[in-house]
Amino acid sequence: GIYNASGAGVVFYNVAFTSTTASSHAVTGTNTYNNLAVTASSAAGLTTVTFDSKQTINGTLSTTGTAGNRRVFFASATYGISVDLAVNSAPSLTDADFRGLYVTGTAAPISGTRIGNRGECRGITFSTPKTVYWNQATGGNWSGTNWAASSGGAVSDSNFPLPQDTATIVNTGLNASALLSIDAATGYIPTIDMSGRTNAVSFDVGTSKTVYGNWINGSGVTISGVGALTFSGGTTQTITSSGKTFTSNNIFIDTYGGTVQCADAFSFSGQLVVTNGTFNTQGYAVTVGTLSWANTNVKTISLGASTVSIGALTANTTNTTFNAGTSLIQATTTSVTFAGV
């Protein structure tokens, strides 16, 4: 459902989003509440609430999630533009993620149980980052009850990886040649470490996902799925390909104030788009269908001594720092488009 509260200085009493299915709610205008409550999905999934202006909660800000994989996502309506959230009473928060919100008010900093950090926030005490391990022998959906606190340990919804966590996939807990899918109920990807996976596994990226940590492939991993991957951690994120080819149609570097860098040779046939932040090859070979930085956002492309193999290139010099280094850009097709502004 969509909820709109337009205008300046609208004062409500109690407002509650009570749907038990994954949904999205847009709150517009500057508003004040007594209590503001959001019910999480009754199954694995994500309920999103966005704000485009300052909100004030004088009573209780609450979520009713009861499992790590049934989450509520509070966010600024526009990535890169933070919004104030004045909270004046102790909240009751469980299984909630935050992005682009500056929490002020007498209750700041706020905290809760299994609180996820998607970046650009202040006034929030996030849950301590943890390492969790896949433990479902036959494979299955990322959003399921498949995560343990130790390799081969007991699974629990409470172990579901938060954006700041590390999700580890090794040989233990997953049969050879099994399929692991990042399903639609998964709202994000944290650091994913498959470096210890030497047995065969098919890893399906599913639909479009945002990655908040590092991506580390293992020697047994085969990637499938064409959903876009957007690296948006706002810190330094590293991609370790381990000789594996990504199958996404598009990979976006969209990370305000952050850097995405290669740890080894990087390859996929789709379009690599640098939208915000820095992309640094660190001198490793890069092979992509199209390399693009055609927007006017602030961004940096550093190629070092890399050989960059492309089928097309589109570029825009506005707000762009381009560090060519001693790189070689080479065409891989008989018909190549180079377009610059």
Side-chain angles (χ1 to χ4, degrees):
I2 300 297
Y3 162 74
N4 293 298
S6 300
V10 178
V11 178
F12 298 93
Y13 194 62
N14 294 337
V15 174
F17 300 107
T18 59
S19 174
T20 57
T21 59
S23 54
S24 296
H25 311 281
V27 179
T28 63
T30 303
N31 307 293
T32 300
Y33 312 84
N34 179 45
N35 297 328
L36 179 61
V38 184
T39 300
S41 173
S42 60
L46 187 70
T47 294
T48 300
V49 181
T50 61
F51 307 109
D52 72 350
S53 305
K54 179 179 179 179
Q55 309 294 310
T56 299
I57 301 100
N58 291 319
T60 303
L61 172 65
S62 64
T63 59
T64 59
T66 58
N69 58 358
R70 305 172 191 176
R71 307 194 62 76
V72 174
F73 179 32
F74 295 103
S76 162
T78 304
Y79 176 52
I81 300 178
S82 296
V83 170
D84 286 349
L85 194 65
V87 182
N88 294 318
S89 296
S92 177
L93 297 170
T94 305
D95 302 309
D97 302 323
F98 292 84
R99 186 198 70 197
L101 296 177
Y102 290 177
V103 176
T104 60
T106 57
I110 62 173
S111 61
T113 301
R114 296 185 293 272
I115 304 302
N117 182 8
R118 298 216 204 177
E120 302 178 278
C121 292
R122 297 177 186 172
I124 304 171
T125 301
F126 294 103
S127 298
T128 302
K130 64 184 184 295
T131 298
V132 295
Y133 297 81
W134 180 274
N135 191 20
Q136 172 54 260
T138 58
N141 289 334
W142 182 281
S143 68
T145 306
N146 299 318
W147 298 97
S150 61
S151 181
V155 297
S156 169
D157 286 339
S158 297
N159 298 325
F160 185 78
L162 306 181
Q164 64 267 33
D165 291 345
T166 297
T168 306
I169 300 167
V170 294
N171 291 335
T172 301
L174 184 61
N175 294 341
S177 302
L179 171 64
L180 194 160
S181 299
I182 304 183
D183 53 308
T186 301
Y188 55 82
I189 303 174
T191 287
I192 178 168
D193 184 355
M194 298 182 283
S195 59
R197 182 68 187 190
T198 58
N199 293 342
V201 62
S202 181
F203 190 84
D204 185 356
V205 301
T207 57
S208 298
K209 294 292 184 297
T210 300
V211 183
Y212 289 97
N214 302 325
W215 187 297
I216 308 169
N217 286 325
S219 61
V221 176
T222 298
I223 299 175
S224 61
V226 297
L229 295 174
T230 300
F231 287 82
S232 191
T235 57
T236 297
Q237 296 173 263
T238 300
I239 302 174
T240 305
S241 298
S242 300
K244 305 303 176 179
T245 299
F246 288 83
T247 56
S248 297
N249 286 333
N250 296 287
I251 294 178
F252 297 95
I253 311 300
D254 190 9
T255 176
Y256 281 97
T259 297
V260 178
Q261 61 189 21
C262 298
D264 57 7
F266 174 75
S267 176
F268 87 117
S269 61
Q271 180 175 223
L272 176 64
V273 182
V274 183
T275 303
N276 289 291
T278 297
F279 175 63
N280 189 343
T281 66
Q282 297 205 112
Y284 292 106
V286 172
T287 301
V288 296
T290 299
L291 178 60
S292 173
W293 61 91
N295 59 78
T296 59
N297 301 327
V298 177
K299 57 203 174 295
T300 298
I301 295 91
S302 294
L303 301 184
S306 296
T307 296
V308 181
S309 302
I310 59 173
L313 182 146
T314 58
N316 191 321
T317 59
T318 303
N319 294 325
T320 299
T321 300
F322 180 63
N323 300 319
T326 59
S327 62
L328 168 65
I329 297 178
Q330 64 181 13
T332 57
T333 62
T334 57
S335 177
V336 179
T337 299
F338 275 64
V341 178

